[in-house]
Amino acid sequence: MSVGDEREFTALPFEEKYWPDLGKFLEIRQKSLEDIEAFWDERARQLIWIKHWDQVLDASNPPFYRWFKGGVTNINLNALDKWIGTSVEHKVAYYWEGEPGDKRAITYGELYREVNKFAWVLKEVIGLKPNDTVSIYLPMIPELPVSMLAVTRIGAIHSVVFSGFSAQALAERIVDAKAKVLITADGFYRRGKVIDLKKNADEAVKIAEERGVKVEKVIVVKRAGNDVHMVSGRDYWYHELIKEAPEKAYVKPEPRKADDVLFILYTSGTTGKPKGIMHSTGGYMTYVYNVFKWNWDPQPHDIYWCAADIGWITGHTYIVYGPLMHGVTQVMYEGAPDYPAPDRIWEMIERYGVTIFYTSPTMLRLLRRFGDKWVEKHDLSTLRLLGSVGEPINPDVWKWYFTKIGGGKAPIVDTWWQTETGAAMISPAPGLALVPLKPGSATLPLPGIDADVFTPEGKPAEPGKKGLLVIKKPWPGMLMGIWGDPDRYIRTYWERFSKPEEGIWIYYPADYAIKDQEGYFWLLGRADEVLNVAGHRLGTAEIEDAIVAHPAVSEAAVVGAPDPVKGEVPVAFVVLKEGYEPSEQLEQEIKLTVRKIVGPIAVPAKVLFVSKLPKTRSGKIMRRILISLIKGRPIGDVSTLEDPSAVEEVKRAVEEFKKLMQQS
Ligand code: PRX
C-alpha cells in the first residue's frame, strides 16, 4: 500500500455541508483529550438516564475502568421509549426484506409494542430475571433486534451468536455464557436455499447439556416454514408466546447500573477458546450514541443501510443500538448480496432511496468483480455517505466506491474499530467536521480517542513507519472485560505495553498501523494469530483445534493466504498420523470437520499435506516461516530451525497451492 501519496483526493467535490474542515475537527479533538472526563460527561447528558452518575470515570482499578459510576439507565429508554408520542413513533424503523423478496415495514411504535410483548413473555412466561444470560441464534429477521431489545429491557444479558456458526460453536458459547434460554428460528434463506437453523440449535442444546449446561427453554421464530422437531416442555413457538401477551403489554425498563453488563459477544482470539467480550450499559450506550452521530450525521429523511449481520459487533452497534437511538429509518436484508443477481444491493439502494450505505471491503470487492454494468443499471444518486468496515480497504476499491457508487459526491467513512471497542475509533466524522480524505486511510482518531503507533519496544513510531496501534486513554465504549476470565482480559489487551508500576495503562488492539506525517492512520491488518476472512475475525488456533479433531490428523498449522476478494483465506498445513496417506477425500473430510466444528466461514481454502512442519528446537511451530512462504516474502532468520528440510517441503506445498489458485 502506498502511504500518504493520494492527495489528489483531498479536495473532493462534496456537497457544501461536507467541505473538509480539518481545523475544526482537530480543535474539537484537542479539547476532548485535554479533559476526557469533562468531554464524555457532557456527551452522556444527551441521553436519558434514570439517575445521573456520581463519577464520570472510575479508574481506581485499572484496567477495569468503569464509566458513569453510580448512573442508572436502560438502553431501551433511548432506543425505543423516547420516541413514543413523537413523530418518530410513526416513522419506519426497519424496511426489512427477505431474500425471496418478501417485505415488512416496522415503525418505531410497532417495534416498541412488539418488544414490550416479548419482554412480557420473557419475564412472565419464561421467567427470566435480571442478569440471566440468553443466547440468541437468529438470522437477519426483525425478531433479532426485537429479541435483543426485549432481553435488555428486562435487564437480562444477550449473547448473540452469528447464524453462520455451527452447532458446536453455538454450544461452546452457550456453555461459556451459561445460557438457560435460547432464541432461534426454524430456518432462513441463503442463496435460494433454506438453511435448517433449528437442527443446529437442537444439536447445540444437546452438546451443551453433555457439558453441564442445560438450556431449559428454546423459543423458535417461524421464518422459513421448514419442518422442525419441537421438544415438548422445552420448545415454544415465538408467535404463540406473543399471543399470550396482553395487547397493551408494557414492561417497565429494568433500571440498570451504568456498569452492569449490557451484552456479551464472542470473538476470536489467539487460543482456540473464543472470548466473551462484555459491554457495559452506560458506557456503550453513550459511546455508540455519539459515534453514530459523528459517523453519519443522521437527518430525519435518511434511509440508512448497514449491510452487515447483527451476529457481529457491527450489527449490534450500527443496525440495532446506534440507529435506533437516533430514530433512523433502516433497510435490513436477510440474504446473500449477489442473489438472485449481482445487482441485488444496487437495486435495493435504488428502490429504497438509500442515503447512507455501510458495508465491508469484501462485499465491495465481490460486487465489483461482476462488472460495472450491474451498477450502471441503477440510479444511486440518493447516496450521500458511504461507509467501510472490518478490514483495510484497498485504495483502488476506495476510489471505485467513491466514484462509481457514490458518484464522486459521497464521502467515504472508513471506520476502524473492533468488537472490543464498541463503535468506531478511527474514522472520518462528517457529523462533526469532515477532514480531507485519503483513499485507504481511516483518517484520524475520533474525539476522546488517544491513539498512537508504537514500535515493538513501546516507543512512539516515527511518522511513516509501520508499528503497532495503541490506545492510550480509556473510552466509554471499551469492553468491561472477558466474561469469566479477568486474567485473559489483562493478558490480551493490556500486558503488551502497560507499565502498571508507573500507573501507565495502554490498550493493545493487535493491529499493525502507520501514522503518516499528517497524523493520518493507515491500518494494516492483524499483528497476532488472528485471521480476517471476508471481514470476519477467526483465530488460527480455533481452526487448528478443529482440524486435529479429525482422527487422521497429527498436527496442523493454519495461516492466512492473500485473496483478491476475501482479503485473506485460511490455508492449512497438515501432518497426518502414521498409516494415513494424503488424498482428495481426506482433504474434503478435514474441510467438513472444520465446517462442523466452527462453521462454513472457517473452512480452509486448501489443505496442504506435509510430512513435517518447520519447528524450533524446543518444538514450537515456526508459523512466521509458513506466513512468509504463503505471502511470497523472504523467510528471514532460520537459525532456530530444527530441521531445514521441513522448509523445503512446505515450499513445495506452497508452490503447488499457488499454481492451483492461479488456475482457479
Ligand atoms: O484488524 C482490524 C480489522 O478488524 C479487526 C476487528 O475485528 P472485529 O472485532 O470482528 O470487528 C470488526 C468490525 C468492527 C480489527 O482489529 N478492522 C476493522 N475495521 C477495519 C479493520 N482494519 C482496517 N480498517 C478498518 N476500517
Side-chain angles (χ1 to χ4, degrees), residues 267 312-314 388-393 414-420 442 509-511 523 525-526 532 535-537:
T267 188
W312 309 102
I313 191 69
T314 305
S388 174
V389 61
E391 354 150 35
I393 177 163
D414 176 5
T415 58
W416 177 87
W417 58 297
Q418 308 181 296
T419 305
E420 292 86 344
D511 265 41
L523 283 311
R526 298 288 304 189
N532 192 332
H536 301 316
R537 195 163 144 185

Side-chain angles (χ1 to χ4, degrees), residues 555 612-622 625 637-647:
E555 270 188 309
K612 53 193 168 232
L613 287 164
K615 287 188 181 168
T616 62
R617 275 173 218 113
S618 57
K620 198 168 156 5
I621 296 172
M622 292 182 76
I625 294 183
D637 176 25
V638 288
S639 55
T640 55
L641 191 65
E642 189 200 17
D643 175 0
S645 69
V647 175

Side-chain angles (χ1 to χ4, degrees), residues 404-618:
K404 207 72 212 169
I405 307 304
K409 67 169 173 51
I412 291 185
V413 180
D414 176 5
T415 58
W416 177 87
W417 58 297
Q418 308 181 296
T419 305
E420 292 86 344
T421 71
M425 299 281 280
I426 302 177
S427 82
L432 268 181
L434 184 68
V435 301
L437 303 178
K438 301 186 191 186
S441 164
T443 71
L444 300 163
L446 289 170
I449 303 305
D450 192 7
D452 205 349
V453 176
F454 274 8
T455 65
E457 294 74 39
K459 303 256 175 342
E462 274 175 49
K465 289 263 160 61
K466 180 172 168 179
L468 298 159
L469 182 66
V470 292
I471 312 291
K472 298 188 291 188
K473 285 192 174 77
W475 69 101
M478 68 195 301
L479 71 166
M480 296 176 73
I482 295 176
W483 181 260
D485 202 345
D487 292 343
R488 192 176 178 192
Y489 168 66
I490 299 176
R491 265 197 328 271
T492 311
Y493 305 108
W494 302 94
E495 247 174 22
R496 183 75 168 84
F497 290 121
S498 300
K499 292 183 194 141
E501 52 306 336
E502 295 173 36
I504 296 173
W505 290 91
I506 290 181
Y507 175 82
Y508 172 62
D511 265 41
Y512 288 117
I514 289 174
K515 194 163 87 168
D516 72 15
Q517 302 285 352
E518 290 173 314
Y520 275 56
F521 284 70
W522 300 74
L523 283 311
L524 305 172
R526 298 288 304 189
D528 57 4
E529 284 159 13
V530 166
L531 304 182
N532 192 332
V533 180
H536 301 316
R537 195 163 144 185
L538 290 167
T540 48
E542 229 172 319
I543 310 175
E544 287 160 5
D545 287 358
I547 294 175
V548 296
H550 190 284
V553 175
S554 151
E555 270 188 309
V558 170
V559 297
D563 181 89
V565 173
K566 296 181 177 170
E568 61 183 345
V569 289
V571 169
F573 293 90
V574 168
V575 180
L576 294 173
K577 285 183 187 155
E578 284 276 316
Y580 290 93
E581 287 298 321
S583 70
E584 184 80 23
Q585 190 196 336
L586 209 47
E587 173 167 5
Q588 290 315 321
E589 281 180 24
I590 289 170
K591 287 182 176 174
L592 201 66
T593 309
V594 176
R595 175 180 275 267
K596 260 197 100 186
I597 296 180
V598 191
I601 47 167
V603 174
K606 181 76 193 148
V607 176
L608 298 168
F609 294 104
V610 289
S611 68
K612 53 193 168 232
L613 287 164
K615 287 188 181 168
T616 62
R617 275 173 218 113
S618 57

